[in-house]
Amino acid sequence: DAGVTQSPTHLIKTRGQQVTLRCSPKSGHDTVSWYQQALGQGPQFIFQYYEEEERQRGNFPDRFSGHQFPNYSSELNVNALLLGDSALYLCASSLSDGLVNEQFFGPGTRLTVL
Amino acid sequence: KQEVTQIPAALSVPEGENLVLNCSFTDSAIYNLQWFRQDPGKGLTSLLLIQSSQREQTSGRLNASLDKSSGRSTLYIAASQPGDSATYLCAGSYNFNKFYFGSGTKLNVKP
């Protein structure tokens, strides 16, 4: 059983460009959350997708957008990249059964903005 | 506003020592408290999940407790090993799986 997978593993972009990161949830999971982790910090919640809709959003600008597909996989899009967007982007999946809600994380995508 | 704090930020211990990592949160209406391990440059590995109705969870040499009234959780690691060296993160959720993370405790276990 594959866990949470993310692609690509590393990405280098320049300021002003746009980037798309991808995530496939753990088998059987229907909810995907995205986090940004700056060096030396804990992950910060960006947003969460459930049933192809954004269900919750953290304190991130509209430059950050996402999408969830019918197979529950998800994309994170960041427009007009800034140097400060350089971070490890983590995807987490869970099952929204209202009971356990344990989150499982992928290996992350390291984004460097030059 | 939900905030999660972890103390200490870093810890260095000799192999074999028992140790405690601390996590505190400002909002006691927590739903789940989850402990993770993160190796350098890697994703997060789930260690233990404590639901709001529970007080502790155990897995092997790890034991995590949750005291909602005091806003604290602790992760106890017994008989530490060099392979335990990593950053340990705690995260609390309040609704719909939105987790608030602490900044982590970086643990170094010396052989």
Side-chain angles (χ1 to χ4, degrees):
Chain A
D1 174 29
V4 180
T5 60
Q6 293 185 243
S7 63
T9 55
H10 294 86
L11 207 50
I12 299 175
K13 293 286 188 178
T14 57
R15 282 177 296 174
Q17 285 189 312
Q18 178 266 341
V19 68
T20 297
L21 311 181
R22 296 175 176 81
C23 171
S24 291
K26 182 178 169 67
S27 178
H29 284 184
D30 57 8
T31 302
V32 173
S33 301
W34 286 92
Y35 292 82
Q36 180 195 67
Q37 186 178 25
L39 200 61
Q41 300 295 316
Q44 298 291 316
F45 178 81
I46 302 174
F47 44 53
Q48 181 182 88
Y49 277 83
Y50 172 67
E51 293 188 340
E52 302 180 51
E53 297 281 338
E54 183 183 291
R55 180 160 68 176
Q56 281 208 335
R57 190 178 183 90
N59 189 26
F60 279 80
D62 292 344
R63 298 187 297 110
F64 290 77
S65 63
H67 187 78
Q68 186 178 36
F69 299 93
N71 67 353
Y72 306 120
S73 66
S74 176
E75 289 182 347
L76 164 65
N77 301 293
V78 187
N79 295 322
L81 285 168
L82 304 174
L83 295 179
D85 295 332
S86 295
L88 180 67
Y89 288 84
L90 296 163
C91 166
S93 76
S94 57
L95 181 60
S96 289
D97 62 358
L99 297 174
V100 178
N101 298 329
E102 184 174 6
Q103 290 205 83
F104 293 85
F105 281 78
T109 293
R110 172 71 63 185
L111 173 63
T112 302
V113 182
L114 302 176
Chain B
K1 179 183 177 183
Q2 289 87 0
E3 292 185 359
V4 179
T5 304
Q6 291 188 247
I7 295 173
L11 185 62
S12 184
V13 300
E15 181 177 5
E17 194 163 296
N18 302 324
L19 55 99
V20 175
L21 306 181
N22 296 296
C23 172
S24 62
F25 41 92
T26 53
D27 187 345
S28 62
I30 200 165
Y31 185 70
N32 284 339
L33 193 292
Q34 195 167 353
W35 282 92
F36 297 88
R37 168 187 173 137
Q38 186 174 34
D39 293 289
K42 304 295 184 182
L44 278 62
T45 300
S46 177
L47 297 174
L48 291 165
L49 169 74
I50 310 175
Q51 299 177 64
S52 60
S53 59
Q54 301 171 326
R55 293 190 63 85
E56 67 177 322
Q57 284 286 338
T58 298
S59 176
R61 295 183 293 109
L62 305 180
N63 175 274
S65 65
L66 174 63
D67 184 343
K68 293 176 61 177
S69 61
S70 66
R72 292 178 60 185
S73 176
T74 60
L75 178 66
Y76 175 82
I77 302 177
S80 58
Q81 303 171 357
D84 294 332
S85 297
T87 296
Y88 290 81
L89 294 152
C90 71
S93 71
Y94 294 88
N95 55 41
F96 294 122
N97 303 325
K98 180 180 179 180
F99 277 74
Y100 294 86
F101 280 85
S103 294
T105 294
K106 187 174 183 179
L107 173 66
N108 178 36
V109 181
K110 298 172 289 185

